[in-house]
Amino acid sequence: MKKITNFIAVFALAAIFTSCNQNDEGEKSGAMASSAAEKVYVSPGEHDEYYAFLSGGYSGNLTVYGLPSGRMLKEIPVFSQFPTNGYGYSEETKDMLKTSFGMVPWGDSHHPDISQTNGEIDGRWIFINENNTPRIARISLETFETEEIIEIPHSAGNHSSSYVTENTEYVVAGTRFSVPYPQRDMPIDEMKGNFKGPLTFIAVDDDGHMEIDFQVDMPGFNYDLSHPGRGESHGWFFFTTYNTEESHTMQEVNASQNDKDFIAAVNWKKISEYVENGGGEIMDAEYVHNVFDHDTQTTISTTKNEVLKVDPRDIPGAVFFMPTPKSPHGCDVDPSGEYIIGNGKLSSDLTVHSFSKMLDAIDNEEFDGDAYGIPVLKFESTLAGTVKDAGLGPLHTEFDDKGNAYTTFFISSEVVKWKVGSWEVLDRQPSYYSVGHLMISGGNSRKPDGKYMISLNKITKDRYLPTGPELEHSAQLFDISGDKMELLLDFPTHGEPHYAAAIKADKIKENSKKIYRLDENNHKYAALNEGETKMVREGNEVHVYMTTVRSHFAPDNLEGIHVGDKVYFHVTNLEQDFDVPHGFAVIGANTSELLIMPGQTKTITWEPKKPGVWPFYCTDFCSALHQEMQGYIRVSAEGANTPMKWGLDDEYTSN
Ligand code: CUA
C-alpha cells in the first residue's frame, strides 16, 4: 500500500508542475512575440530551410512540416488507409497493409529516422515503426511515398524502433511487451521467466530493401527505446528496459519496484559475424513483407515463415546490461558515441554511461551478477556522471553541434539544456505542456545541427482555440543557436507526434521526383495513349483501361456492365507535367477515390448494385474545365444482354 501512496504523490506533484506552467504562460509568450515572428516568417513564395518529418502517432502516418514556418507540407500515408489519394484502397497499394493477421488498415506510428552514411543523415529514405501490429516502413525521400513495409514476427508493441546504424546497415525493432517466444497458449501469471523480449535486426541493402537478419532472444523485460552507437561505439546498439520485475499486472506499481532497470548494450557487429559464420538457429515465424515495385507500380507481397534466432549466451561478449535507475525511458547516444544517456522517468536525475568505461568494465569483468545468463555490469563501473536535479520525469535527450544536450521532462513540463562532460544545467524553458520527445535536425547522428529544436508535446489545452473535447497535439519550435533557448512558435501536429526527424531542404529538394515517366510505366493494365483504352470482360469481372488528360476521360461513356459485375477501373494519367494529378470517383464505390499522379496507373474496384446510368468524375481541380471532366456508365440488370461498348465523343468501340 505504501508504494501506491508514493505513486499518488508523484502524480499529485505532476499536477502542480503542470499548473504552475499554465500560470506563467501568458506573460512569457507576450514578451517575446516580435523578434520571434521574424525568425519564423517565411515570406510568400519562399521556401523553408528544413523538412521535418513528424510521426503521426495513432493516425498511422508521417507528416512533413517546413521549418521554421511550421507549415504542414504533406501527410504521407504509411500504416493507415488514406482516402486523400487512395493509398491502402487502390488495388496497387492495398497489399502494403497486408500482415500475418490479414489486412490491417490502421497503425500507430512512432519514431521516424532518416538513413545515414558515415554517421550523417543522407536524405535517401526515412524509416518509421508501427507499434501495434509490429512493422517497419521505409519511405522514399524522392517520391515521399511508402515503398516497403516489413512485419516483425514474435514482437509485440514495436516501440524501441526504427533507429538506424551509422551506415544504415541495420534498422532495429525491439519488443515493448515481452511475450511467449514463440507465441503459445499459456497462463498469464506464469509470465516470469517464460516470456521473452526478442530484439530484431533488419539488414538494409544499398537499394533500401529490408530483410530480417537475426533476432536476439533476450530476457522477458520490456524494451522501450533504443539508439545506435556511433564513432567509437559504432557496432553497438543500446536499448532501455523497464519491467525487469517481469510483472504481468498493475504495472504502474508492480513494474516500478526495482530501483534500477537496465540499458542493454548489444554488440550487433559481433552477432552479425556469428550469424555470417553459420551461428544461430532457424525458428518458425510468420510475417509478411510488402514492397512497392516502381516498374509495375504494384505491391509485391511475400509471406515468410522463418527467422534466425540467436541466443546471446552462445556469443561471448555480445550483450551486457548496464543498471540504470528508475524505469528508464529514453536511451540516447551523444554525437561522439561516448555517452549513453538513460532517462529514469521516475527520477529527477539523468544517468550518463560511458562507452569507454563500459569496455574497460567488460575487460576487467566488473560484473554484478547476471540476468538470465547475461552479465550485469557494476553501476559505478560504467557511470560517467549524473545530471543532478535537472527536473522531474526525464524522457528523451537530443544534442546540438556545440557539446550540449537537451532533455525533456514530462512531469515538470520543460526542456533542460545541459553540458555534456560537466553535466551542469545551463538553461531551462517550459513547454506547453508535458513534453514527450524533442527533435534537433540530425539529432540521431554524428553531426547534429544546432539551429532549431522542436518539443513534441502531449497536452495542448489552451494553446489554440478549442475544437471541442478533441484537440490536436502541439509542437513548439525553439531557437537553440544562442546560450539560452528561445521559444519561437507553436504549431499543431496531426496525430500524436511521438518523435520526428529533420533534414536541410537542400539535401533532398533537388532529388524530389516531379512526375512518373509514361515510358517507364510497366503496369499490367496501363493504357499509355487513348488508342489503348478498352473494356475487357472475364466472366463477371470487367477491366476498364482508362486514361485521363486535361480535361476528359477516355472512354467517358461505358455500356454493357451489369449488376453482379466487379468492375476494375485501371486509370492511367497521361499528363507529364508537374503537379497535374487527376482523380477518379464513381458513385457508390465501397473504397475511396483515386488520385493519380502524372504517368501513373491506379485501380479502383466498383460493384454496381442498381441498374441505371451512373456518373463518375475527376476529384482534383485540374483545369478550367475540371468540372466537365466526367462520364457515364450504363448499368443493366443482372442477366440482361446489353452489349459492351465504350467510347469518347460518340465514337464507340464494342465487342
Ligand atoms: Cu482532371 Cu479535374
Side-chain angles (χ1 to χ4, degrees):
M1 206 41 175
K2 188 159 170 283
K3 291 268 163 46
I4 293 181
T5 320
N6 285 344
F7 263 80
I8 293 166
V10 167
F11 286 103
L13 203 54
I16 293 164
F17 270 99
T18 312
S19 55
C20 285
N21 284 330
Q22 268 174 278
N23 292 342
D24 359 292
E25 176 258 322
E27 298 160 31
K28 286 187 179 171
S29 60
M32 65 173 63
S34 64
S35 74
E38 278 173 32
K39 289 184 180 177
V40 301
Y41 183 66
V42 177
S43 56
E46 296 293 308
H47 292 169
D48 278 290
E49 190 181 352
Y50 292 86
Y51 288 95
F53 300 87
L54 275 60
S55 91
Y58 39 70
S59 78
N61 294 338
L62 183 69
T63 44
V64 188
Y65 287 78
L67 296 182
S69 73
R71 298 180 292 191
M72 185 173 133
L73 304 173
K74 185 172 183 156
E75 180 172 5
I76 303 173
V78 184
F79 298 111
S80 293
Q81 285 182 315
F82 195 62
T84 310
N85 67 7
Y87 176 87
Y89 292 99
S90 74
E91 292 299 301
E92 291 77 10
T93 57
K94 66 182 190 184
D95 283 354
M96 290 299 283
L97 305 180
K98 249 172 104 169
T99 74
S100 64
F101 300 90
M103 199 272 196
V104 175
W106 168 85
D108 182 14
S109 63
H110 273 246
H111 310 119
D113 204 16
I114 295 170
S115 57
Q116 296 189 20
T117 304
N118 298 323
E120 292 183 43
I121 51 174
D122 59 22
R124 288 179 294 168
W125 315 295
I126 187 164
F127 299 86
I128 191 164
N129 58 321
E130 207 274 272
N131 190 54
N132 181 53
T133 303
R135 287 171 282 173
I136 289 180
R138 180 177 54 82
I139 293 118
S140 160
L141 292 181
E142 281 184 14
T143 60
F144 286 62
E145 287 178 4
T146 304
E147 287 190 331
E148 187 172 1
I149 296 181
I150 192 165
E151 190 180 356
I152 314 299
H154 306 307
S155 201
N158 178 33
H159 197 265
S160 43
S161 179
S162 58
Y163 301 99
V164 301
T165 55
E166 71 172 29
N167 286 301
T168 322
E169 295 96 335
Y170 287 104
V171 53
V172 301
T175 191
R176 168 179 162 199
F177 305 102
S178 60
V179 282
Y181 180 48
Q183 273 290 2
R184 62 189 182 281
D185 175 10
M186 63 172 280
I188 297 170
D189 62 7
E190 291 173 18
M191 166 191 183
K192 195 164 185 163
N194 290 316
F195 284 15
K196 294 297 186 70
L199 305 178
T200 308
F201 283 73
I202 299 125
V204 181
D205 75 12
D206 291 344
D207 297 319
H209 291 297
M210 299 184 281
E211 291 292 345
I212 295 178
D213 199 20
F214 55 85
Q215 283 192 320
V216 189
D217 181 2
M218 295 285 284
F221 310 146
N222 291 7
Y223 295 84
D224 203 8
L225 277 156
S226 68
H227 265 87
R230 55 180 62 97
E232 288 296 305
S233 57
H234 177 58
W236 291 77
F237 226 103
F238 304 94
F239 294 80
T240 42
T241 67
Y242 67 104
N243 195 19
T244 52
E245 297 85 352
E246 297 178 76
S247 108
H248 60 273
T249 185
M250 192 62 183
Q251 284 159 344
E252 64 171 325
V253 175
N254 295 330
S256 304
Q257 300 300 306
N258 292 347
D259 183 54
K260 295 184 181 71
D261 295 285
F262 300 127
I263 286 179
V266 178
N267 187 334
W268 58 260
K269 237 179 205 170
K270 193 163 258 191
I271 301 173
S272 180
E273 283 163 15
Y274 172 79
V275 164
E276 265 173 46
N277 292 323
E281 177 195 337
I282 300 280
M283 77 182 284
D284 288 342
E286 188 189 8
Y287 65 102
V288 176
H289 184 190
N290 308 316
V291 179
F292 189 79
D293 175 56
H294 282 289
D295 185 42
T296 60
Q297 302 189 5
T298 301
T299 303
I300 298 169
S301 190
T302 317
T303 300
K304 311 223 164 151
N305 48 30
E306 56 187 36
V307 74
L308 188 69
K309 174 174 90 170
V310 299
D311 184 334
R313 293 167 300 193
D314 294 342
I315 315 163
V319 180
F320 298 90
F321 285 131
M322 296 192 280
T324 304
K326 306 287 178 197
S327 300
H329 184 57
C331 182
D332 298 291
V333 178
D334 85 310
S336 75
E338 166 63 7
Y339 297 113
I340 302 115
I341 291 98
N343 295 330
K345 59 185 180 277
L346 301 178
S347 168
S348 57
D349 298 338
L350 308 180
T351 302
V352 184
H353 297 284
S354 153
F355 176 71
S356 51
K357 285 182 79 173
M358 182 192 89
L359 292 184
D360 290 345
I362 293 168
D363 283 348
N364 300 328
E365 301 189 347
E366 293 168 31
F367 300 138
D368 196 359
D370 69 276
Y372 294 103
I374 293 172
V376 176
L377 291 158
K378 284 200 169 116
F379 178 62
E380 293 74 22
S381 299
T382 63
L383 187 68
T386 305
V387 183
K388 283 275 181 209
D389 299 321
L392 205 54
L395 292 184
H396 302 280
T397 302
E398 295 247 310
F399 306 88
D400 67 12
D401 54 352
K402 302 176 205 74
N404 302 305
Y406 300 77
T407 299
T408 57
F409 289 82
F410 178 82
I411 297 175
S412 54
S413 194
E414 60 188 335
V415 180
V416 172
K417 175 180 177 180
W418 51 276
K419 192 84 199 157
V420 176
S422 73
W423 326 122
E424 63 190 307
V425 171
L426 301 174
D427 186 28
R428 62 180 65 239
Q429 289 294 328
S431 70
Y432 305 97
Y433 304 93
S434 302
V435 57
H437 279 270
L438 77 171
M439 187 276 295
I440 291 170
S441 173
N444 173 36
S445 79
R446 281 200 207 183
K447 289 244 172 84
D449 187 317
K451 192 159 181 183
Y452 298 116
M453 176 266 290
I454 57 176
S455 69
L456 301 159
N457 306 330
K458 300 300 188 188
I459 293 170
T460 308
K461 284 187 182 172
D462 51 10
R463 300 307 285 180
Y464 313 110
L465 282 176
T467 50
E470 185 180 342
L471 303 171
E472 290 285 31
H473 290 262
S474 182
Q476 293 185 295
L477 180 75
F478 290 82
D479 178 345
I480 56 165
S481 58
D483 289 342
K484 301 287 177 191
M485 296 175 269
E486 184 192 0
L487 176 60
L488 300 179
L489 182 73
D490 281 13
F491 60 97
T493 66
H494 188 59
E496 183 175 345
H498 287 275
Y499 187 46
I503 188 166
K504 280 220 157 163
D506 290 346
K507 282 199 173 168
I508 44 179
K509 73 180 176 198
E510 296 311 321
N511 298 330
S512 179
K513 206 175 180 79
K514 295 187 169 58
I515 60 161
Y516 294 94
R517 285 175 49 168
L518 262 185
D519 60 5
E520 292 174 356
N521 181 337
N522 290 314
H523 190 293
K524 190 178 169 196
Y525 295 102
L528 298 178
N529 55 64
E530 291 186 1
E532 293 181 8
T533 60
K534 60 186 172 184
M535 288 171 75
V536 176
R537 177 175 283 283
E538 292 165 7
N540 71 335
E541 293 192 347
V542 178
H543 292 270
V544 179
Y545 295 65
M546 185 179 265
T547 60
T548 63
V549 76
R550 280 163 287 181
S551 300
H552 63 268
F553 293 95
D556 68 357
N557 283 196
L558 297 83
E559 298 194 1
I561 285 168
H562 298 82
V563 173
D565 284 344
K566 183 171 186 180
V567 186
Y568 293 82
F569 293 99
H570 307 288
V571 187
T572 302
N573 182 352
L574 299 179
E575 306 281 355
Q576 291 286 269
D577 286 338
F578 187 30
D579 200 23
V580 190
H582 292 288
F584 180 87
V586 56
I587 190 168
N590 296 116
T591 57
S592 77
E593 53 122 25
L594 299 173
L595 191 70
I596 310 131
M597 294 301 126
Q600 235 181 1
T601 303
K602 282 191 182 175
T603 305
I604 188 180
T605 58
W606 185 59
E607 295 177 63
K609 307 287 191 307
K610 304 171 192 174
V613 177
W614 303 105
F616 61 91
Y617 69 99
C618 171
T619 47
D620 186 290
F621 208 112
C622 51
S623 72
L625 296 172
H626 154 77
Q627 206 69 350
E628 284 74 8
M629 193 164 173
Q630 61 187 50
Y632 288 112
I633 306 160
R634 175 180 170 188
V635 175
S636 303
E638 198 163 3
N641 55 4
T642 314
M644 232 167 40
K645 74 173 195 178
W646 61 92
L648 173 70
D649 205 14
D650 283 333
E651 284 185 23
Y652 289 99
T653 312
S654 54
N655 60 7

